């Protein structure tokens, strides 16, 4: 099978890789580029564990072919923090105990960041609706929703300061 050469941008950095036509973006991220923060949950697009942002849209990386990343701008969980400084969402998830096993956490954080970029002050209902495609089997959703609310509040305070 002939490999495909892909040029893309991942977490703000130019990236190139070779992939097979059948390889998912999730496989490329984890196995080729060694960006293992994006997790494999169901591998059929139903759990949200592998959520990444691609050209401004959140997508399940398991359902996107690696070849489709050509020319795209991709954000993974590794691109959320700035160096060693965690993003407010990451801090809020830690402080709010919104994680246990951690498989779903990267997808929740990437999706939540996309929400807060579009709506910096979402209601509880809007948060729950936005995150409806992300499943958690350990913590339940209340701690996750409260953590997103706390991060939104903190981010708004930082913006107005």
């Amino acid at each position: 099978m002939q490999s495909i050469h892909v040029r893309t941008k991942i977490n703000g950095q130019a990236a190139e890789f070779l992939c097979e036509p059948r390889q998912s973006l999730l496989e490329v991220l984890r196995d080729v580029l060694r960006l293992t923060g994006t997790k494999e949950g169901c591998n059929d697009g139903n759990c949200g564990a592998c959520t990444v942002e691609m050209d401004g849209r959140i997508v399940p990386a398991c359902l996107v072919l690696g070849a489709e990343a050509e020319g795209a701008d991709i954000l993974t969980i590794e691109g959320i923090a700035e160096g060693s400084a965690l993003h407010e969402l990451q801090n809020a998830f830690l402080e709010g105990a919104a994680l246990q096993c951690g498989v779903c956490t990267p997808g929740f954080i990437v999706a939540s960041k996309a929400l807060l970029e579009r709506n910096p002050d979402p209601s509880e209902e809007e948060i729950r609706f936005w995150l409806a495609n992300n499943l958690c089997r350990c913590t339940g959703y209340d701690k996750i929703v409260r953590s997103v609310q706390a991060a939104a509040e903190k981010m708004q305070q930082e913006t107005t300061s």
Side-chain angles (χ1 to χ4, degrees):
M1 192 172 287
Q2 187 172 353
S3 293
I4 298 170
H5 181 240
V6 177
R7 290 183 181 97
T8 189
K9 187 187 282 187
I10 299 176
N11 301 325
Q13 302 291 318
E16 292 184 49
F17 58 84
L18 292 174
C19 66
E20 295 177 21
R22 62 159 188 78
Q23 271 185 299
S24 69
L25 179 58
L26 175 61
E27 292 173 306
V28 169
L29 290 171
R30 291 185 58 79
D31 301 337
V32 177
L33 299 174
R34 301 291 182 219
L35 295 172
T36 58
T38 304
K39 303 301 183 202
E40 180 180 333
C42 64
N43 208 29
D44 62 13
N46 286 311
C47 75
C50 67
T51 299
V52 298
E53 192 171 310
M54 184 171 176
D55 291 333
R57 293 180 26 233
I58 54 172
V59 298
C62 68
L63 295 183
V64 175
L65 293 173
E68 291 179 278
E70 176 65 38
D73 190 1
I74 298 167
L75 177 71
T76 70
I77 189 66
E78 288 90 352
I80 302 286
E82 293 188 27
S84 63
L86 295 179
H87 188 279
E88 286 304 333
L89 275 164
Q90 292 168 311
N91 283 324
F93 269 63
L94 288 170
E95 291 168 8
L99 57 125
Q100 283 185 15
C101 81
V103 172
C104 69
T105 306
F108 271 108
I109 290 174
V110 170
S112 297
K113 183 178 183 296
L115 168 62
L116 296 181
E117 287 172 348
R118 289 162 178 77
N119 180 358
D121 188 23
S123 67
E124 178 179 340
E125 182 179 311
E126 290 168 320
I127 294 168
R128 288 183 183 277
F129 182 79
W130 186 268
L131 297 177
N133 289 324
N134 293 73
L135 303 178
C136 175
R137 292 172 177 89
C138 299
T139 65
Y141 299 92
D142 290 334
K143 291 179 181 181
I144 293 168
V145 171
R146 285 195 303 269
S147 295
V148 174
Q149 290 172 320
E153 185 177 317
K154 184 107 180 208
M155 291 166 68
Q156 286 175 8
Q157 289 172 358
E158 289 173 359
T159 303
T160 58
S161 299

